[in-house]
Amino acid sequence: QRRVRGDVPVMMCVGAYFGLAHNTTWILDVMFKWTPIGIASQWHNDFFSEEGSKEVVVKQIKKHFTTKYFEHGLKWMIFFPEGGFLKNRGEKARNWAQRNNLPVLYNCCLPRTTAFTTIVQAFRGEVAPIPEHVEDVVDVTLMFKGPRDLCLQDIMMGSYCDKEVYVNFRTYKMADLPKEESELQTWLYDRYQEKEHMIARFKELGEFKEGGTFTQIHQSRSQLLGSLIFWYITAFFVWDFYKSMFGYALNFATGFL
């Protein structure tokens, strides 16, 4: 689920720890395409999703699968079905759920289902021919221990190395997922109802479920410093590029005045 800005860097760290970074594609909103992380994501062959009808989404995903995902031998795909942060979409999602007689959630947002169902159909070969079948869907739930969640300031200052982050994995076989689109939507809603209860339990007791076991992962400050330097340098070059383009455009426009 996507609740706060800290979810993305945590998933990056988890992916790097398990050696998945080199063969993983991310699904991002198109608004990030020309930001520093968006430019790096374009090099990484990630997918930028645009708003539109189901036909438009299917066309976008089909193109990405055929020209990027399978062509470059990628194995994993990471995306957040909610389409935004809890504080931004929470109330809107609850109102929409009430109008459509769907579960009303307070600890996470009700997911959007079009992209999820289309991706599952694509992995099954129903949207585009695929060279191999994907076997698993991994449901990931993140929580940060402490009085507040991980924020952008923590990431920029490197203080999140002292935070405890809990990541819960649940794996489902692709073959066991429902075949019909409506049933697949219900399946996804059910997973988010489970997340709602898991997060509520974690807030109260500090654990997702009774008797759960954990594998502890550490990120050194040297690793964090290296990644921060990379993003700051990238941000500088992007800012310099846009500044130069704005200057050229301003001079060009001034020449006609």
Side-chain angles (χ1 to χ4, degrees), residues 96-127:
W96 188 85
Q98 289 176 338
R99 291 196 302 269
N100 292 274
N101 197 28
L102 293 170
V104 178
L105 309 179
Y106 294 90
N107 293 309
C108 56
C109 288
L110 196 70
R112 300 173 178 177
T113 59
T114 301
F116 175 78
T117 55
T118 304
I119 289 170
V120 171
Q121 291 168 351
F123 279 133
R124 287 172 172 167
E126 299 173 13
V127 172

PDB file of all heavy atoms in Angstrom, residues 96-127:
ATOM      1  N   TRP A  96     -16.121   7.832  -2.192  1.00  0.00           N
ATOM      2  CA  TRP A  96     -16.401   7.008  -3.376  1.00  0.00           C
ATOM      3  C   TRP A  96     -16.845   5.612  -2.955  1.00  0.00           C
ATOM      4  O   TRP A  96     -17.764   5.034  -3.551  1.00  0.00           O
ATOM      5  CB  TRP A  96     -15.153   6.935  -4.241  1.00  0.00           C
ATOM      6  CG  TRP A  96     -15.378   6.270  -5.559  1.00  0.00           C
ATOM      7  CD1 TRP A  96     -15.849   6.840  -6.715  1.00  0.00           C
ATOM      8  CD2 TRP A  96     -15.155   4.886  -5.878  1.00  0.00           C
ATOM      9  NE1 TRP A  96     -15.933   5.913  -7.729  1.00  0.00           N
ATOM     10  CE2 TRP A  96     -15.506   4.705  -7.246  1.00  0.00           C
ATOM     11  CE3 TRP A  96     -14.680   3.798  -5.149  1.00  0.00           C
ATOM     12  CZ2 TRP A  96     -15.404   3.468  -7.878  1.00  0.00           C
ATOM     13  CZ3 TRP A  96     -14.573   2.570  -5.782  1.00  0.00           C
ATOM     14  CH2 TRP A  96     -14.933   2.407  -7.132  1.00  0.00           C
ATOM     15  N   ALA A  97     -16.217   5.065  -1.908  1.00  0.00           N
ATOM     16  CA  ALA A  97     -16.577   3.730  -1.429  1.00  0.00           C
ATOM     17  C   ALA A  97     -18.006   3.712  -0.879  1.00  0.00           C
ATOM     18  O   ALA A  97     -18.768   2.764  -1.126  1.00  0.00           O
ATOM     19  CB  ALA A  97     -15.583   3.278  -0.358  1.00  0.00           C
ATOM     20  N   GLN A  98     -18.387   4.757  -0.155  1.00  0.00           N
ATOM     21  CA  GLN A  98     -19.742   4.821   0.396  1.00  0.00           C
ATOM     22  C   GLN A  98     -20.784   4.899  -0.710  1.00  0.00           C
ATOM     23  O   GLN A  98     -21.833   4.250  -0.629  1.00  0.00           O
ATOM     24  CB  GLN A  98     -19.857   6.032   1.325  1.00  0.00           C
ATOM     25  CG  GLN A  98     -19.097   5.870   2.638  1.00  0.00           C
ATOM     26  CD  GLN A  98     -19.140   7.126   3.493  1.00  0.00           C
ATOM     27  OE1 GLN A  98     -19.371   8.228   2.978  1.00  0.00           O
ATOM     28  NE2 GLN A  98     -18.907   6.972   4.786  1.00  0.00           N
ATOM     29  N   ARG A  99     -20.499   5.662  -1.749  1.00  0.00           N
ATOM     30  CA  ARG A  99     -21.455   5.799  -2.855  1.00  0.00           C
ATOM     31  C   ARG A  99     -21.611   4.499  -3.638  1.00  0.00           C
ATOM     32  O   ARG A  99     -22.672   4.243  -4.216  1.00  0.00           O
ATOM     33  CB  ARG A  99     -21.003   6.915  -3.812  1.00  0.00           C
ATOM     34  CG  ARG A  99     -21.094   8.307  -3.246  1.00  0.00           C
ATOM     35  CD  ARG A  99     -21.007   9.350  -4.359  1.00  0.00           C
ATOM     36  NE  ARG A  99     -19.785   9.224  -5.130  1.00  0.00           N
ATOM     37  CZ  ARG A  99     -18.655   9.861  -4.853  1.00  0.00           C
ATOM     38  NH1 ARG A  99     -18.604  10.682  -3.804  1.00  0.00           N
ATOM     39  NH2 ARG A  99     -17.595   9.719  -5.620  1.00  0.00           N
ATOM     40  N   ASN A 100     -20.568   3.672  -3.637  1.00  0.00           N
ATOM     41  CA  ASN A 100     -20.594   2.445  -4.437  1.00  0.00           C
ATOM     42  C   ASN A 100     -20.712   1.180  -3.587  1.00  0.00           C
ATOM     43  O   ASN A 100     -20.477   0.080  -4.085  1.00  0.00           O
ATOM     44  CB  ASN A 100     -19.325   2.370  -5.296  1.00  0.00           C
ATOM     45  CG  ASN A 100     -19.291   3.427  -6.373  1.00  0.00           C
ATOM     46  OD1 ASN A 100     -19.825   3.250  -7.457  1.00  0.00           O
ATOM     47  ND2 ASN A 100     -18.646   4.560  -6.068  1.00  0.00           N
ATOM     48  N   ASN A 101     -21.077   1.363  -2.304  1.00  0.00           N
ATOM     49  CA  ASN A 101     -21.294   0.229  -1.410  1.00  0.00           C
ATOM     50  C   ASN A 101     -20.061  -0.676  -1.330  1.00  0.00           C
ATOM     51  O   ASN A 101     -20.153  -1.901  -1.409  1.00  0.00           O
ATOM     52  CB  ASN A 101     -22.503  -0.595  -1.865  1.00  0.00           C
ATOM     53  CG  ASN A 101     -23.012  -1.524  -0.771  1.00  0.00           C
ATOM     54  OD1 ASN A 101     -22.864  -1.235   0.422  1.00  0.00           O
ATOM     55  ND2 ASN A 101     -23.593  -2.646  -1.172  1.00  0.00           N
ATOM     56  N   LEU A 102     -18.888  -0.052  -1.155  1.00  0.00           N
ATOM     57  CA  LEU A 102     -17.616  -0.765  -1.036  1.00  0.00           C
ATOM     58  C   LEU A 102     -17.042  -0.531   0.354  1.00  0.00           C
ATOM     59  O   LEU A 102     -17.493   0.356   1.086  1.00  0.00           O
ATOM     60  CB  LEU A 102     -16.644  -0.272  -2.116  1.00  0.00           C
ATOM     61  CG  LEU A 102     -17.022  -0.620  -3.563  1.00  0.00           C
ATOM     62  CD1 LEU A 102     -16.131   0.123  -4.539  1.00  0.00           C
ATOM     63  CD2 LEU A 102     -16.954  -2.123  -3.791  1.00  0.00           C
ATOM     64  N   PRO A 103     -16.041  -1.313   0.757  1.00  0.00           N
ATOM     65  CA  PRO A 103     -15.455  -1.144   2.095  1.00  0.00           C
ATOM     66  C   PRO A 103     -14.909   0.263   2.308  1.00  0.00           C
ATOM     67  O   PRO A 103     -14.229   0.810   1.433  1.00  0.00           O
ATOM     68  CB  PRO A 103     -14.324  -2.184   2.121  1.00  0.00           C
ATOM     69  CG  PRO A 103     -14.688  -3.183   1.085  1.00  0.00           C
ATOM     70  CD  PRO A 103     -15.420  -2.435   0.018  1.00  0.00           C
ATOM     71  N   VAL A 104     -15.195   0.854   3.451  1.00  0.00           N
ATOM     72  CA  VAL A 104     -14.695   2.174   3.820  1.00  0.00           C
ATOM     73  C   VAL A 104     -13.467   1.979   4.704  1.00  0.00           C
ATOM     74  O   VAL A 104     -13.565   1.396   5.788  1.00  0.00           O
ATOM     75  CB  VAL A 104     -15.775   2.999   4.549  1.00  0.00           C
ATOM     76  CG1 VAL A 104     -15.214   4.359   4.956  1.00  0.00           C
ATOM     77  CG2 VAL A 104     -17.002   3.167   3.666  1.00  0.00           C
ATOM     78  N   LEU A 105     -12.326   2.458   4.249  1.00  0.00           N
ATOM     79  CA  LEU A 105     -11.055   2.231   4.931  1.00  0.00           C
ATOM     80  C   LEU A 105     -10.503   3.541   5.479  1.00  0.00           C
ATOM     81  O   LEU A 105     -10.662   4.600   4.870  1.00  0.00           O
ATOM     82  CB  LEU A 105     -10.039   1.609   3.962  1.00  0.00           C
ATOM     83  CG  LEU A 105     -10.512   0.378   3.182  1.00  0.00           C
ATOM     84  CD1 LEU A 105      -9.405  -0.111   2.246  1.00  0.00           C
ATOM     85  CD2 LEU A 105     -10.941  -0.739   4.135  1.00  0.00           C
ATOM     86  N   TYR A 106      -9.832   3.459   6.634  1.00  0.00           N
ATOM     87  CA  TYR A 106      -9.278   4.645   7.280  1.00  0.00           C
ATOM     88  C   TYR A 106      -7.759   4.589   7.425  1.00  0.00           C
ATOM     89  O   TYR A 106      -7.110   5.624   7.552  1.00  0.00           O
ATOM     90  CB  TYR A 106      -9.913   4.835   8.659  1.00  0.00           C
ATOM     91  CG  TYR A 106     -11.385   5.163   8.586  1.00  0.00           C
ATOM     92  CD1 TYR A 106     -12.337   4.149   8.590  1.00  0.00           C
ATOM     93  CD2 TYR A 106     -11.816   6.483   8.481  1.00  0.00           C
ATOM     94  CE1 TYR A 106     -13.695   4.448   8.501  1.00  0.00           C
ATOM     95  CE2 TYR A 106     -13.166   6.790   8.391  1.00  0.00           C
ATOM     96  CZ  TYR A 106     -14.102   5.766   8.401  1.00  0.00           C
ATOM     97  OH  TYR A 106     -15.439   6.068   8.297  1.00  0.00           O
ATOM     98  N   ASN A 107      -7.180   3.404   7.407  1.00  0.00           N
ATOM     99  CA  ASN A 107      -5.730   3.251   7.557  1.00  0.00           C
ATOM    100  C   ASN A 107      -5.007   3.109   6.222  1.00  0.00           C
ATOM    101  O   ASN A 107      -3.785   3.145   6.162  1.00  0.00           O
ATOM    102  CB  ASN A 107      -5.412   2.035   8.432  1.00  0.00           C
ATOM    103  CG  ASN A 107      -5.860   2.246   9.866  1.00  0.00           C
ATOM    104  OD1 ASN A 107      -5.542   3.263  10.481  1.00  0.00           O
ATOM    105  ND2 ASN A 107      -6.614   1.298  10.400  1.00  0.00           N
ATOM    106  N   CYS A 108      -5.753   2.929   5.169  1.00  0.00           N
ATOM    107  CA  CYS A 108      -5.207   2.886   3.815  1.00  0.00           C
ATOM    108  C   CYS A 108      -6.329   3.250   2.855  1.00  0.00           C
ATOM    109  O   CYS A 108      -7.486   3.328   3.253  1.00  0.00           O
ATOM    110  CB  CYS A 108      -4.611   1.511   3.472  1.00  0.00           C
ATOM    111  SG  CYS A 108      -5.762   0.133   3.663  1.00  0.00           S
ATOM    112  N   CYS A 109      -5.981   3.520   1.608  1.00  0.00           N
ATOM    113  CA  CYS A 109      -6.978   3.924   0.615  1.00  0.00           C
ATOM    114  C   CYS A 109      -7.515   2.718  -0.141  1.00  0.00           C
ATOM    115  O   CYS A 109      -6.781   1.771  -0.418  1.00  0.00           O
ATOM    116  CB  CYS A 109      -6.358   4.900  -0.396  1.00  0.00           C
ATOM    117  SG  CYS A 109      -6.023   6.530   0.260  1.00  0.00           S
ATOM    118  N   LEU A 110      -8.781   2.787  -0.477  1.00  0.00           N
ATOM    119  CA  LEU A 110      -9.348   1.753  -1.339  1.00  0.00           C
ATOM    120  C   LEU A 110      -8.639   1.803  -2.690  1.00  0.00           C
ATOM    121  O   LEU A 110      -8.464   2.870  -3.274  1.00  0.00           O
ATOM    122  CB  LEU A 110     -10.846   1.992  -1.529  1.00  0.00           C
ATOM    123  CG  LEU A 110     -11.651   0.804  -2.068  1.00  0.00           C
ATOM    124  CD1 LEU A 110     -11.743  -0.285  -1.003  1.00  0.00           C
ATOM    125  CD2 LEU A 110     -13.052   1.265  -2.464  1.00  0.00           C
ATOM    126  N   PRO A 111      -8.189   0.669  -3.206  1.00  0.00           N
ATOM    127  CA  PRO A 111      -7.375   0.685  -4.433  1.00  0.00           C
ATOM    128  C   PRO A 111      -8.189   0.923  -5.685  1.00  0.00           C
ATOM    129  O   PRO A 111      -9.374   0.621  -5.748  1.00  0.00           O
ATOM    130  CB  PRO A 111      -6.767  -0.728  -4.444  1.00  0.00           C
ATOM    131  CG  PRO A 111      -7.807  -1.575  -3.759  1.00  0.00           C
ATOM    132  CD  PRO A 111      -8.373  -0.695  -2.673  1.00  0.00           C
ATOM    133  N   ARG A 112      -7.519   1.470  -6.691  1.00  0.00           N
ATOM    134  CA  ARG A 112      -8.067   1.517  -8.042  1.00  0.00           C
ATOM    135  C   ARG A 112      -7.768   0.176  -8.698  1.00  0.00           C
ATOM    136  O   ARG A 112      -6.678  -0.371  -8.539  1.00  0.00           O
ATOM    137  CB  ARG A 112      -7.425   2.651  -8.829  1.00  0.00           C
ATOM    138  CG  ARG A 112      -7.653   4.030  -8.218  1.00  0.00           C
ATOM    139  CD  ARG A 112      -6.862   5.088  -8.949  1.00  0.00           C
ATOM    140  NE  ARG A 112      -7.111   6.417  -8.407  1.00  0.00           N
ATOM    141  CZ  ARG A 112      -6.506   7.524  -8.832  1.00  0.00           C
ATOM    142  NH1 ARG A 112      -5.622   7.437  -9.825  1.00  0.00           N
ATOM    143  NH2 ARG A 112      -6.780   8.688  -8.293  1.00  0.00           N
ATOM    144  N   THR A 113      -8.706  -0.351  -9.425  1.00  0.00           N
ATOM    145  CA  THR A 113      -8.579  -1.739  -9.871  1.00  0.00           C
ATOM    146  C   THR A 113      -8.220  -1.912 -11.345  1.00  0.00           C
ATOM    147  O   THR A 113      -7.775  -2.988 -11.736  1.00  0.00           O
ATOM    148  CB  THR A 113      -9.900  -2.495  -9.615  1.00  0.00           C
ATOM    149  OG1 THR A 113     -10.961  -1.838 -10.331  1.00  0.00           O
ATOM    150  CG2 THR A 113     -10.232  -2.509  -8.122  1.00  0.00           C
ATOM    151  N   THR A 114      -8.390  -0.882 -12.165  1.00  0.00           N
ATOM    152  CA  THR A 114      -8.197  -1.060 -13.609  1.00  0.00           C
ATOM    153  C   THR A 114      -6.783  -1.494 -13.958  1.00  0.00           C
ATOM    154  O   THR A 114      -6.580  -2.457 -14.707  1.00  0.00           O
ATOM    155  CB  THR A 114      -8.539   0.240 -14.364  1.00  0.00           C
ATOM    156  OG1 THR A 114      -9.894   0.590 -14.096  1.00  0.00           O
ATOM    157  CG2 THR A 114      -8.349   0.049 -15.860  1.00  0.00           C
ATOM    158  N   ALA A 115      -5.782  -0.785 -13.410  1.00  0.00           N
ATOM    159  CA  ALA A 115      -4.392  -1.130 -13.721  1.00  0.00           C
ATOM    160  C   ALA A 115      -4.051  -2.526 -13.211  1.00  0.00           C
ATOM    161  O   ALA A 115      -3.396  -3.315 -13.897  1.00  0.00           O
ATOM    162  CB  ALA A 115      -3.445  -0.100 -13.112  1.00  0.00           C
ATOM    163  N   PHE A 116      -4.523  -2.859 -11.994  1.00  0.00           N
ATOM    164  CA  PHE A 116      -4.214  -4.168 -11.416  1.00  0.00           C
ATOM    165  C   PHE A 116      -4.787  -5.291 -12.262  1.00  0.00           C
ATOM    166  O   PHE A 116      -4.081  -6.245 -12.612  1.00  0.00           O
ATOM    167  CB  PHE A 116      -4.755  -4.252  -9.993  1.00  0.00           C
ATOM    168  CG  PHE A 116      -4.587  -5.613  -9.364  1.00  0.00           C
ATOM    169  CD1 PHE A 116      -3.372  -6.024  -8.871  1.00  0.00           C
ATOM    170  CD2 PHE A 116      -5.673  -6.494  -9.282  1.00  0.00           C
ATOM    171  CE1 PHE A 116      -3.205  -7.271  -8.296  1.00  0.00           C
ATOM    172  CE2 PHE A 116      -5.525  -7.749  -8.719  1.00  0.00           C
ATOM    173  CZ  PHE A 116      -4.277  -8.133  -8.217  1.00  0.00           C
ATOM    174  N   THR A 117      -6.069  -5.188 -12.605  1.00  0.00           N
ATOM    175  CA  THR A 117      -6.694  -6.266 -13.385  1.00  0.00           C
ATOM    176  C   THR A 117      -6.061  -6.376 -14.769  1.00  0.00           C
ATOM    177  O   THR A 117      -5.874  -7.482 -15.288  1.00  0.00           O
ATOM    178  CB  THR A 117      -8.207  -6.027 -13.528  1.00  0.00           C
ATOM    179  OG1 THR A 117      -8.436  -4.724 -14.095  1.00  0.00           O
ATOM    180  CG2 THR A 117      -8.896  -6.100 -12.164  1.00  0.00           C
ATOM    181  N   THR A 118      -5.694  -5.245 -15.362  1.00  0.00           N
ATOM    182  CA  THR A 118      -5.072  -5.274 -16.685  1.00  0.00           C
ATOM    183  C   THR A 118      -3.692  -5.920 -16.627  1.00  0.00           C
ATOM    184  O   THR A 118      -3.318  -6.690 -17.521  1.00  0.00           O
ATOM    185  CB  THR A 118      -4.951  -3.851 -17.262  1.00  0.00           C
ATOM    186  OG1 THR A 118      -6.244  -3.247 -17.290  1.00  0.00           O
ATOM    187  CG2 THR A 118      -4.378  -3.884 -18.670  1.00  0.00           C
ATOM    188  N   ILE A 119      -2.924  -5.605 -15.582  1.00  0.00           N
ATOM    189  CA  ILE A 119      -1.582  -6.188 -15.446  1.00  0.00           C
ATOM    190  C   ILE A 119      -1.681  -7.698 -15.230  1.00  0.00           C
ATOM    191  O   ILE A 119      -0.909  -8.475 -15.812  1.00  0.00           O
ATOM    192  CB  ILE A 119      -0.826  -5.516 -14.286  1.00  0.00           C
ATOM    193  CG1 ILE A 119      -0.449  -4.085 -14.686  1.00  0.00           C
ATOM    194  CG2 ILE A 119       0.432  -6.293 -13.922  1.00  0.00           C
ATOM    195  CD1 ILE A 119       0.079  -3.257 -13.547  1.00  0.00           C
ATOM    196  N   VAL A 120      -2.616  -8.133 -14.388  1.00  0.00           N
ATOM    197  CA  VAL A 120      -2.800  -9.572 -14.176  1.00  0.00           C
ATOM    198  C   VAL A 120      -3.166 -10.255 -15.493  1.00  0.00           C
ATOM    199  O   VAL A 120      -2.631 -11.324 -15.838  1.00  0.00           O
ATOM    200  CB  VAL A 120      -3.873  -9.834 -13.099  1.00  0.00           C
ATOM    201  CG1 VAL A 120      -4.228 -11.319 -13.045  1.00  0.00           C
ATOM    202  CG2 VAL A 120      -3.386  -9.365 -11.736  1.00  0.00           C
ATOM    203  N   GLN A 121      -4.069  -9.650 -16.249  1.00  0.00           N
ATOM    204  CA  GLN A 121      -4.458 -10.214 -17.548  1.00  0.00           C
ATOM    205  C   GLN A 121      -3.268 -10.238 -18.506  1.00  0.00           C
ATOM    206  O   GLN A 121      -3.113 -11.173 -19.296  1.00  0.00           O
ATOM    207  CB  GLN A 121      -5.606  -9.389 -18.129  1.00  0.00           C
ATOM    208  CG  GLN A 121      -6.914  -9.548 -17.370  1.00  0.00           C
ATOM    209  CD  GLN A 121      -7.949  -8.515 -17.771  1.00  0.00           C
ATOM    210  OE1 GLN A 121      -7.656  -7.566 -18.498  1.00  0.00           O
ATOM    211  NE2 GLN A 121      -9.177  -8.677 -17.279  1.00  0.00           N
ATOM    212  N   ALA A 122      -2.414  -9.201 -18.428  1.00  0.00           N
ATOM    213  CA  ALA A 122      -1.237  -9.168 -19.294  1.00  0.00           C
ATOM    214  C   ALA A 122      -0.265 -10.287 -18.943  1.00  0.00           C
ATOM    215  O   ALA A 122       0.285 -10.955 -19.824  1.00  0.00           O
ATOM    216  CB  ALA A 122      -0.547  -7.807 -19.174  1.00  0.00           C
ATOM    217  N   PHE A 123      -0.068 -10.512 -17.658  1.00  0.00           N
ATOM    218  CA  PHE A 123       0.827 -11.592 -17.234  1.00  0.00           C
ATOM    219  C   PHE A 123       0.271 -12.966 -17.601  1.00  0.00           C
ATOM    220  O   PHE A 123       1.021 -13.934 -17.729  1.00  0.00           O
ATOM    221  CB  PHE A 123       1.087 -11.513 -15.727  1.00  0.00           C
ATOM    222  CG  PHE A 123       2.143 -10.512 -15.348  1.00  0.00           C
ATOM    223  CD1 PHE A 123       1.929  -9.618 -14.315  1.00  0.00           C
ATOM    224  CD2 PHE A 123       3.354 -10.468 -16.012  1.00  0.00           C
ATOM    225  CE1 PHE A 123       2.892  -8.698 -13.954  1.00  0.00           C
ATOM    226  CE2 PHE A 123       4.322  -9.549 -15.666  1.00  0.00           C
ATOM    227  CZ  PHE A 123       4.097  -8.663 -14.637  1.00  0.00           C
ATOM    228  N   ARG A 124      -1.027 -13.041 -17.750  1.00  0.00           N
ATOM    229  CA  ARG A 124      -1.636 -14.306 -18.173  1.00  0.00           C
ATOM    230  C   ARG A 124      -1.641 -14.460 -19.690  1.00  0.00           C
ATOM    231  O   ARG A 124      -2.066 -15.488 -20.216  1.00  0.00           O
ATOM    232  CB  ARG A 124      -3.076 -14.376 -17.660  1.00  0.00           C
ATOM    233  CG  ARG A 124      -3.181 -14.613 -16.147  1.00  0.00           C
ATOM    234  CD  ARG A 124      -4.631 -14.473 -15.708  1.00  0.00           C
ATOM    235  NE  ARG A 124      -4.803 -14.879 -14.326  1.00  0.00           N
ATOM    236  CZ  ARG A 124      -5.894 -14.642 -13.604  1.00  0.00           C
ATOM    237  NH1 ARG A 124      -6.906 -13.995 -14.162  1.00  0.00           N
ATOM    238  NH2 ARG A 124      -5.984 -15.049 -12.352  1.00  0.00           N
ATOM    239  N   GLY A 125      -1.196 -13.435 -20.407  1.00  0.00           N
ATOM    240  CA  GLY A 125      -1.168 -13.494 -21.858  1.00  0.00           C
ATOM    241  C   GLY A 125      -2.464 -13.087 -22.508  1.00  0.00           C
ATOM    242  O   GLY A 125      -2.662 -13.301 -23.703  1.00  0.00           O
ATOM    243  N   GLU A 126      -3.396 -12.468 -21.732  1.00  0.00           N
ATOM    244  CA  GLU A 126      -4.693 -12.088 -22.266  1.00  0.00           C
ATOM    245  C   GLU A 126      -4.665 -10.722 -22.949  1.00  0.00           C
ATOM    246  O   GLU A 126      -5.569 -10.397 -23.718  1.00  0.00           O
ATOM    247  CB  GLU A 126      -5.733 -12.080 -21.130  1.00  0.00           C
ATOM    248  CG  GLU A 126      -5.915 -13.442 -20.469  1.00  0.00           C
ATOM    249  CD  GLU A 126      -6.803 -13.366 -19.244  1.00  0.00           C
ATOM    250  OE1 GLU A 126      -7.460 -12.326 -19.070  1.00  0.00           O
ATOM    251  OE2 GLU A 126      -6.844 -14.330 -18.451  1.00  0.00           O
ATOM    252  N   VAL A 127      -3.647  -9.897 -22.653  1.00  0.00           N
ATOM    253  CA  VAL A 127      -3.539  -8.557 -23.237  1.00  0.00           C
ATOM    254  C   VAL A 127      -2.529  -8.548 -24.374  1.00  0.00           C
ATOM    255  O   VAL A 127      -2.742  -7.935 -25.408  1.00  0.00           O
ATOM    256  CB  VAL A 127      -3.136  -7.534 -22.155  1.00  0.00           C
ATOM    257  CG1 VAL A 127      -2.823  -6.176 -22.789  1.00  0.00           C
ATOM    258  CG2 VAL A 127      -4.231  -7.407 -21.116  1.00  0.00           C
TER     259      VAL A 127
END
